[in-house]
Structures are given as C-alpha cells and as structure tokens.
Amino acid sequence: MMGAIRLEPAPSWSHLPAIDVAEGESKTVGRAEHADVRLNDASLSRLHARISLDPSGSLTIQDLGSTNGVRVNGTRLETAPVRVGDTVHFGEIEYIAIPAGGSGSGATPVPQTIIRRVAVDTAPRVDRMALEALLSTSRELMAFADLPALLDRVLERFSSIAKPDRSAILLVDPVTGELVPRAVRPSGAYQSVSDFASATVVRQALAARNVLVVHDIQHDAQLQHALSVVAAGVKSVICVPLFGRAGPIGALYADRLGLEQFPPETAEYAAAFAGHAATALETAQLYDDRERLFRATLEAFATAIDARDHYTAGHSARVTAYTLVLARAVGIADAELEVIRRAGMLHDIGKVGVPDAVLLKAGPLDPEERAAIERHVTIGHRMLQGLPFLEGALPSVRGHHERWDGKGYPDKLAGTDIHPHARLMAVADSFDAMTSARPYRNALPIEEAARRLRKDKGTQFAPAAIDTYDAVEAEVADLLVRSHSQQ
C-alpha cells in the first residue's frame, strides 16, 4: 500500500490551501462556493475537478469538463493517478504532490513551473504610494493623443516600477490580428515577436485576460529550452494583457536577465496599471485611426488639386520626397520627418481656392492674377488650422514661398525668421517647378535648375539649404528621373 498524498500549493501559490483527502473520500475543486475546495482564480471553472483517494491510498484526479483543464506533469488528462513528486495544474494554479503529513520544504525537490496568473479584473493589493503613482500615471497617460509618444511613456512609467532589463508594447494589428512590437526599450532589444522570451507567454496572457508572471524561467518546462530565452539569458518574465472596450489591444511585456527575479508585488502593480494603460492606448488608437483617415483624405484632396493641371500632376509628392532628402541630410530627427511629410503633401492645398482661369493660364500672370495665386498659402493655412495633428506642418504650408532676403510672401519673413522646414521646402518646391514642363516652356534640365538655385543662394534661398542641396544633388536627381519614368 502506498502512503497517502497531500497536494501542496507551489511556492508562487502559497496563499492557497493545501488539499487533503481522507481514505475513501472525494472532493471537488473549483471557483463555486459549493466546491469542497474553493480556489478563487480566473483560470478555474466553477466545478473544475474531483480528487479521490481509494482505500489503497492511491490519489486520482478527474477533470469535470473544465475550460482550462487538468494537467499532471504538464500533460492534460481527463482522469489521472497522482504520485509523490507529480505537479498538478488546475487551470493555471499549480500544486505539488507530497507525502501526507509532510511539507513542501521537506519533500524531494521536483521540477516546478513557476507561472503565476493574477486576474486583471480583481482588486490588487497595491500600497498607498503605488496607488498615488497609478492615479498620477492615469491622468498623465490620458493627456496623450499622439500614439507613439504614449507608447513610449507607458513603457517609461511601467519600467520605473518594475525595473526590467527589457520591455516592449505589442499591439494587435486590426487587419491581420497579429501582434506587432510598436515600442521597445532599450532600442533594438527585440526585432520581432519571436525574439521575446516566449510568444506563448503573450498569447496565454491575452487568452486568459490575466497578468502572467514567470518567476524563474529555468524551472519552467515550457520555456527553459526556448532558444530566445537561452540566447538572451532571461531569468524572469511578466506579461500584461491590454484590453479595451472592443477587445484585445495588445500586451505589455518585460523581462529580467541574469539572476534577479521580478518580486511578487510587481504582478499586482501590473494588474492595476493594465487598466489605465489600456484605456489610454485605446483612446490614442482611435485618435490615431481618425487622424490617419483624415490625413489620407486631405492628401487625396491635395493630389486631386495637383491633377487639375496635368503639368503639375505629382508635384506635391515630389516636393515631399525632395524635402525629406534635404531634411535627412541636415540631421532632422525622425519624429520631425513625419511633420515634413505632412506639410509637403499639403503645402499647395490652398490652390483649391484659386480659379482655374488663373491656375491653368498658359501665359504670364497680371498683378491681380499673381495676387490670387499667392493667396493659396494663406488659404491652405486657414484650411488646416485647428487640426492638432497638422499643427507642426503649418509653418511650411504658409511659409514655403518666403525668401531669405524678405521679399517673399505672405508675411515678408527674412533669414532665420523663416521656419527651418520651410527653408528646405522652398528649395524643393522651386526645383520641382523648374524641372516640370509648363504650357509656356519646357522642363529645365537638372543642371540648369541647380545653377539657378545656386545663383539665388542668400537672396531667395537660405545659404545652408543650398549647401545641403549640393550635398544630395545626385539623390534628388535620381528621385526626379524615377518620378518621370513612372508617369
């Protein structure tokens, strides 16, 4: 006859009761109040399993049709005998089989998976200082409408508490449903989902709607042999699922390398933090989607304006491309390049207010017609004013016809009073105008257009902008040739 067996909670579930069953007795396990052993965890069904001890001292576990199953030593089974040293999972709760009357510390060491789930929708035990930090974080996060900036701030705030070695936010692609890394710390730490300690961890956290913590990867049968884990030297992992009103948004993932584990209270903070972060991200995503749709509409509108005259078709796209080449050459930050791209695509949108008779006139313009053409910059500025996501583009929309010597329009700005983006766009706009055909003249050769740009260095154009053009002339010329070959 074998000795009786007790089920002792694994160390990370030490707040749960041990399970003892008398000879000839059976007990039900689950979340329901009428379960013989009540374990209040989101991964359990109401009546999850039945544990029985026969007269010979053999312990048997039966799955009662649960959602997340019963696993013995990692294998999901409907009915299974349990022996000393076995690990038993009810859903994600882990128990270890030890001799009845023994203790976990006295039992023979057995392989243990140290996965702990904390239900996102339960009230976490967060101390007063952490709660104050959460409230402050919530107010701060909700003030962000720019999604990339918000993603970075979420990582910053979470990292200040969890102190991971690496962290990332993955968002669900609305088209493919795939998880895509959108923000990573430190930069370049991850290149794809496969680089994470386990994509399975992320999927499990989302499926269970629970924070998932792996306290020690080396004792986890699912992860200890994962190539990404071995290569990176990952010790401990935490994954926070992010859910909005419409469903999953993504996940916040962090890990520690070397020897140090995440402390248990990190999971509680993460559970509380998840709701704040998810709400802010959902709001920002909606704003970002709305902004992207509206911007696409405006750009389509601007392209249609270019198409009013087949001589200027593609003008806005080419000016944008040339300006971006100049901007990169002077070291403008990546975040500003998107501002320049928006400004370039929309810089002539005000021409919607210019009559066709003036816009399409084949010959020279009289003073009244010239004034009508010049008004396109102020018309465009008025059209785009009040749109937060285009605020940074306004100086170039309004100022791309200002001159370094102060003789441009509409504000007669001179020198460094002209916005740096507008100085570059003035060169790009003039270059494209000269290298595009008009009813009254052929397109100028690239060499002649470049000569005229240099001739007006310090008068029409900022000297530094022309120097930059000289440095990237071959790249600009290549863009021009490719653009014309596609027409």
Side-chain angles (χ1 to χ4, degrees):
M1 176 187 295
M2 67 179 293
I5 297 174
R6 158 183 272 198
L7 294 183
E8 183 89 0
S12 55
W13 298 94
S14 58
H15 59 289
L16 296 177
I19 303 175
D20 289 303
V21 184
E23 184 179 302
E25 184 182 26
S26 68
K27 290 184 178 180
T28 55
V29 177
R31 286 189 298 112
E33 291 187 9
H34 60 277
D36 297 313
V37 180
R38 189 182 182 201
L39 303 177
N40 190 15
D41 184 83
S43 68
L44 267 67
S45 299
R46 291 177 59 77
L47 286 180
H48 197 95
R50 176 177 286 110
I51 306 173
S52 305
L53 185 68
D54 67 21
S56 69
S58 298
L59 192 70
T60 302
I61 295 181
Q62 176 188 2
D63 188 343
L64 297 178
S66 66
T67 300
N68 293 317
V70 173
R71 301 196 307 280
V72 176
N73 297 328
T75 301
R76 184 166 178 168
L77 301 166
E78 292 185 7
T79 303
V82 177
R83 300 174 178 83
V84 171
D86 287 346
T87 59
V88 178
H89 282 84
F90 304 103
E92 294 304 327
I93 294 177
E94 182 182 11
Y95 276 81
I96 305 163
I98 65 172
S103 67
S105 58
T108 303
V110 294
Q112 299 174 17
T113 179
I114 316 295
I115 295 182
R116 178 187 177 198
R117 292 188 187 274
V118 180
V120 172
D121 56 358
T122 60
R125 299 182 299 278
V126 182
D127 64 29
R128 182 181 62 81
M129 292 183 64
L131 183 59
E132 289 175 355
L134 279 170
L135 293 173
S136 174
T137 297
S138 181
R139 287 192 294 268
E140 181 183 23
L141 294 184
M142 290 307 295
F144 279 82
D146 179 68
L147 183 58
L150 174 61
L151 292 170
D152 189 64
R153 185 54 60 91
V154 167
L155 279 187
E156 178 185 334
R157 282 300 190 188
F158 183 72
S159 297
S160 68
I161 299 293
K163 296 180 172 54
D165 291 311
R166 307 184 300 178
S167 58
I169 295 177
L170 302 91
L171 296 183
V172 176
D173 186 299
V175 177
T176 66
E178 295 295 318
L179 286 163
V180 180
R182 288 290 304 272
V184 171
R185 285 190 170 202
S187 179
Y190 311 104
Q191 300 299 323
S192 69
V193 176
S194 63
D195 290 334
F196 291 81
S198 175
T200 303
V201 170
V202 180
R203 295 190 189 97
Q204 285 179 348
L206 282 168
R209 302 176 72 97
N210 289 337
V211 177
L212 189 149
V213 181
V214 183
H215 293 293
D216 191 340
I217 291 251
Q218 295 306 314
H219 293 127
D220 182 84
Q222 295 182 42
L223 302 178
Q224 61 184 256
H225 301 301
L227 293 178
S228 55
V229 171
V230 174
V234 175
K235 174 69 172 180
S236 188
V237 169
I238 186 166
C239 185
V240 187
L242 301 171
F243 280 83
R245 288 165 294 180
I249 296 171
L252 173 59
Y253 176 96
D255 57 30
R256 284 185 175 180
L257 312 178
L259 300 176
E260 192 173 357
Q261 302 177 7
F262 285 113
E265 59 270 20
T266 302
E268 295 172 356
Y269 176 83
F273 181 81
H276 297 275
T279 300
L281 285 169
E282 183 175 47
T283 301
Q285 276 190 313
L286 290 171
Y287 185 88
D288 193 55
D289 290 343
R290 183 183 65 180
E291 172 188 328
R292 188 164 53 249
L293 177 61
F294 192 35
R295 186 171 69 244
T297 301
L298 288 175
E299 291 181 2
F301 189 29
T303 301
I305 292 168
D306 284 352
R308 287 167 69 188
D309 178 1
H310 75 275
Y311 289 101
T312 61
H315 170 72
S316 294
R318 290 193 300 273
V319 169
T320 300
Y322 301 153
T323 308
L324 287 172
V325 169
L326 297 171
R328 291 189 185 99
V330 299
I332 287 179
D334 288 348
E336 285 189 77
L337 295 180
E338 174 59 19
V339 173
I340 290 173
R341 194 194 71 77
R342 297 176 188 182
M345 290 303 300
L346 299 171
H347 77 285
D348 273 350
I349 196 168
K351 285 184 178 178
V352 68
V354 179
D356 282 351
V358 175
L359 193 64
L360 305 179
K361 186 176 180 180
L365 301 177
D366 62 35
E368 186 175 340
E369 292 167 337
R370 171 59 58 185
I373 281 283
E374 291 181 358
R375 281 195 291 273
H376 81 275
V377 292
T378 53
I379 293 170
H381 186 269
R382 282 198 306 272
M383 288 175 65
L384 304 179
Q385 244 179 341
L387 300 174
F389 62 91
L390 291 176
E391 184 177 352
L394 292 178
S396 296
V397 172
R398 187 179 181 93
H400 64 277
H401 284 293
E402 299 287 2
R403 290 173 52 108
W404 189 253
D405 60 11
K407 296 180 182 179
Y409 63 87
D411 300 311
K412 305 295 183 185
L413 300 179
T416 56
D417 289 339
I418 303 170
H419 193 280
H421 296 179
R423 296 176 217 165
L424 299 177
M425 193 170 293
V427 174
D429 186 62
S430 293
F431 178 81
D432 189 65
M434 288 187 286
T435 54
S436 298
R438 291 292 185 267
Y440 49 87
R441 64 159 175 80
N442 293 325
L444 297 179
I446 293 173
E447 296 77 10
E448 176 59 19
R451 186 191 69 78
R452 295 189 184 190
L453 290 176
R454 297 185 185 104
K455 180 177 71 70
D456 288 331
K457 176 180 178 180
T459 54
Q460 181 174 352
F461 305 113
I466 297 302
D467 291 342
T468 303
Y469 170 82
D470 287 340
V472 296
E473 182 176 5
E475 188 174 354
V476 171
D478 183 61
L479 283 174
L480 173 63
V481 170
R482 281 191 282 142
S483 172
H484 286 177
S485 69
Q486 294 169 2
Q487 290 179 353

